[in-house]
Amino acid sequence: MNLLTKFTDHIKLKNGFTNQHQFLLAVSGGIDSVVLCDLFHKAKLQFSIAHCNFQLRGAESERDELFVKELAKKYEVDIFVQHFDTKAYAENNKLSTQVAARDLRYDWFRQLIAEGKASYIVTAHHADDNIETVVMNFFRGTGLKGLIGMDEHFQQVWRPLLGIRRKEILDYAAQHELQHVEDSSNASSNYTRNYFRNEMLPAIAQVFPQVVENLLKNIARLTEVELVYKQAIANYKKQLVEIKGKEAHIPILKLLKAEPVRTILWEILSEYNFTAAQVDEILKLMQADNGSYVESPSHRIIKNRNWLIIAAKKAEEISNFIVVEAQQKKVDFPGGSLQFEYDIPASHVTISADASVAFIDAHELHFPLLLRKWKKGDYFYPLGMQKKKKLSKFFIDNKLSLIQKENTWVLESNKRIVWVIGQRLDNRFKLQPSTGSVVRVKLISK
């Protein structure tokens, strides 16, 4: 079966798209997106083109833009072009170039959708891209979802070539004599994806020649496994969760008989913004005294006799809690924003007296962190002191005004205050002679 027939059959069988829909194709000018354009044209689907000029490769970026504009003329379709100062955005937000480009690209795509330019964004991701994603996710330590890879449909993004091998795309381009431009950075293994594409997967193929085909089969199997998993979790939730008004009630004895209890409990709790790191804490809660509870940014789970009760917190409480995940680069909160920089060698750090910057021993941090307003009873060990001090006493000693007190936030790790934001680091988190890796946190005030 030729690629065009496979493409059109897939649309009819699985997607139900017709020539009444308007699609916005993300086109770089590379061979994948060029073939995508030709398939849409020959399938008589209405489309326009969106091209991002990230201004990262000088004259080559300008060449790509001109090529895509000519492509739009060839197919007689509308084209939207956006220029980004990607380097500045990456530096300002402490992001890698790849992540910055992705964020900029999809933010613009969503804007075009919101402006009514199209109903769907279409990308040229194919099966080999998905394989690379799955392998990267495996080494990152993601769960079942990460081992399935990309979704063909995600919100308003559609990836119709996800079941197509790159060899089929190359053969189609050669057969139809389609011109394209080559991104010179694809040959470099400095980028994570390129390293897996150019170095790791070819090395594995030397030992397991069928690695790509086997991974595609695994993706198909695990996609079906996820369906079974979701069905099983839905059944457990139906058996274990009783909704009473605005609360969710879980019978402890019944929950403890469920297997595997940790996974089932996590699937229930994730809907209420609890983190995977809190599951063990909530398992201990079942043996705790009545009235004991564990909090997420939006909910409390309370032990009440033989029940766990999940209840929403008050609106004013919710606004005072923000979860900070591992490797998160920026967090906005009412007092401004925090910018995080990770994996800094301690030997490269020069500590200053700037109260808006905290250098923290990475070994002492346990993610996710909690960014919250201080509350009565809070205490910490002020930098340079071996004894704990209540924050209320710390504020008095430092002559803070009532407004300053009310606007004080703290960064918390595993129920220990790490930093009274913009004021004092906790002594337990300071850099030591043994410190290897450092996390730098900077407060950007409003």
Side-chain angles (χ1 to χ4, degrees):
M1 184 186 297
N2 65 50
L3 182 54
L4 179 60
T5 303
K6 186 185 288 191
F7 176 75
T8 53
D9 286 353
H10 179 68
I11 293 170
K12 292 173 184 175
L13 287 173
K14 292 196 173 182
N15 297 286
F17 291 135
T18 70
N19 58 7
Q20 301 303 311
H21 291 87
Q22 179 65 38
F23 300 98
L24 187 66
L25 275 55
V27 180
S28 65
I31 195 166
D32 303 333
S33 58
V34 167
V35 167
L36 182 69
C37 286
D38 201 66
L39 290 171
F40 265 73
H41 174 71
K42 287 187 169 66
K44 295 182 168 53
L45 295 172
Q46 295 187 51
F47 69 95
S48 52
I49 288 174
H51 176 74
C52 301
N53 186 332
F54 295 110
Q55 302 186 93
L56 292 171
R57 294 177 287 114
E60 197 174 278
S61 293
E62 303 308 313
R63 176 209 65 184
D64 293 356
E65 180 180 326
L66 290 173
F67 175 84
V68 176
K69 286 179 177 177
E70 290 301 315
L71 200 64
K73 289 180 183 177
K74 171 184 173 181
Y75 293 116
E76 298 180 330
V77 297
D78 292 334
I79 181 170
F80 305 94
V81 176
Q82 184 71 29
H83 293 80
F84 298 106
D85 190 345
T86 311
K87 284 185 178 177
Y89 181 85
E91 290 173 4
N92 292 338
N93 293 278
K94 306 297 181 185
L95 301 172
S96 70
T97 304
Q98 280 183 308
V99 172
R102 184 189 65 203
D103 289 352
L104 289 168
R105 176 169 64 244
Y106 281 102
D107 283 348
W108 180 50
F109 290 164
R110 293 186 192 99
Q111 180 185 329
L112 291 172
I113 288 285
E115 293 172 358
K117 300 294 192 286
S119 305
Y120 297 93
I121 296 293
V122 183
T123 70
H125 291 106
H126 48 72
D128 292 66
D129 292 325
N130 206 21
I131 289 166
E132 293 159 9
T133 298
V134 166
V135 175
M136 287 190 292
N137 286 344
F138 177 83
F139 286 102
R140 285 179 180 136
T142 58
L144 178 60
K145 181 63 181 173
L147 298 181
I148 294 169
M150 303 182 224
D151 292 318
E152 182 174 340
H153 295 276
F154 177 71
Q155 296 175 352
Q156 291 169 302
V157 177
W158 179 33
R159 304 178 178 105
L161 304 184
L162 212 53
I164 306 297
R165 291 296 310 277
R166 189 159 198 268
K167 184 179 184 305
E168 296 176 83
I169 292 171
L170 295 175
D171 289 345
Y172 181 91
Q175 179 186 350
H176 295 275
E177 298 182 342
L178 299 180
Q179 300 299 312
H180 68 282
V181 289
E182 194 67 47
D183 182 343
S184 61
S185 66
N186 287 338
S188 169
S189 295
N190 291 333
Y191 296 115
T192 302
R193 182 174 292 276
N194 288 357
Y195 173 77
F196 278 84
R197 176 184 300 159
N198 301 333
E199 307 286 341
M200 178 163 282
L201 283 170
I204 294 173
Q206 291 180 11
V207 182
F208 299 105
Q210 302 301 312
V211 59
V212 172
E213 290 76 10
N214 291 341
L215 284 170
L216 285 173
K217 290 175 183 176
N218 281 340
I219 290 170
R221 292 188 193 106
L222 291 173
T223 300
E224 294 184 356
V225 168
E226 190 195 28
L227 291 175
V228 176
Y229 176 82
K230 285 180 176 178
Q231 291 168 2
I233 291 299
N235 287 333
Y236 276 117
K237 287 181 178 180
K238 189 175 180 179
Q239 296 170 23
L240 293 171
V241 182
E242 299 179 25
I243 303 298
K244 296 184 178 181
K246 294 183 178 180
E247 298 175 348
H249 291 227
I250 305 170
I252 292 174
L253 295 178
K254 200 172 181 181
L255 174 63
L256 288 173
K257 291 178 182 177
E259 286 292 341
V261 64
R262 181 176 275 97
T263 297
I264 295 165
L265 183 57
W266 157 241
E267 289 292 348
I268 294 171
L269 297 174
S270 61
E271 295 182 23
Y272 302 97
N273 296 313
F274 289 92
T275 66
Q278 290 179 290
V279 172
D280 285 337
E281 189 177 359
I282 294 165
L283 286 170
K284 292 177 183 176
L285 183 65
M286 299 182 199
Q287 311 300 325
D289 295 332
N290 284 337
S292 301
Y293 63 88
V294 176
E295 293 183 319
S296 79
S298 59
H299 288 76
R300 287 192 182 97
I301 182 165
I302 307 160
K303 163 74 179 299
N304 183 32
R305 298 187 180 181
N306 292 323
W307 295 83
L308 293 177
I309 300 174
I310 303 174
K313 291 154 66 172
K314 295 178 182 178
E316 61 269 22
E317 292 181 289
I318 294 172
S319 66
N320 290 341
F321 284 83
I322 299 171
V323 174
V324 182
E325 300 290 353
Q327 298 301 314
Q328 192 167 344
K329 302 290 187 179
K330 183 181 178 184
V331 180
D332 295 317
F333 71 109
S337 64
L338 293 183
Q339 293 183 346
F340 291 78
E341 187 176 354
Y342 301 89
D343 303 322
I344 305 171
S347 58
H348 293 183
V349 172
T350 301
I351 298 176
S352 70
D354 186 352
S356 68
V357 179
F359 292 96
I360 303 165
D361 188 334
H363 180 71
E364 295 298 326
L365 289 180
H366 298 278
F367 286 87
L369 307 179
L370 195 62
L371 176 61
R372 63 171 176 83
K373 270 198 169 183
W374 82 282
K375 61 181 185 286
K376 187 177 179 181
D378 274 342
Y379 67 87
F380 79 130
Y381 291 73
L383 184 63
M385 297 178 61
Q386 299 300 318
K387 292 183 178 180
K388 67 182 180 183
K389 176 177 281 193
K390 284 192 173 183
L391 280 186
S392 54
K393 180 69 165 60
F394 175 77
F395 295 152
I396 292 170
D397 291 348
N398 286 274
K399 299 185 169 86
L400 266 65
S401 68
L402 179 60
I403 292 176
Q404 287 175 315
K405 293 177 187 176
E406 289 176 347
N407 292 325
T408 295
W409 286 65
V410 298
L411 189 64
E412 182 181 294
S413 168
N414 198 22
K415 295 187 175 181
R416 299 191 300 170
I417 289 177
V418 178
W419 186 28
V420 181
I421 306 296
Q423 297 182 47
R424 188 78 65 87
L425 183 72
D426 187 292
N427 199 62
R428 295 168 293 183
F429 295 86
K430 71 180 181 181
L431 305 191
Q432 307 278 2
S434 59
T435 299
S437 181
V438 176
V439 176
R440 178 181 183 270
V441 189
K442 180 175 178 60
L443 169 65
I444 307 297
S445 299
K446 282 188 175 180

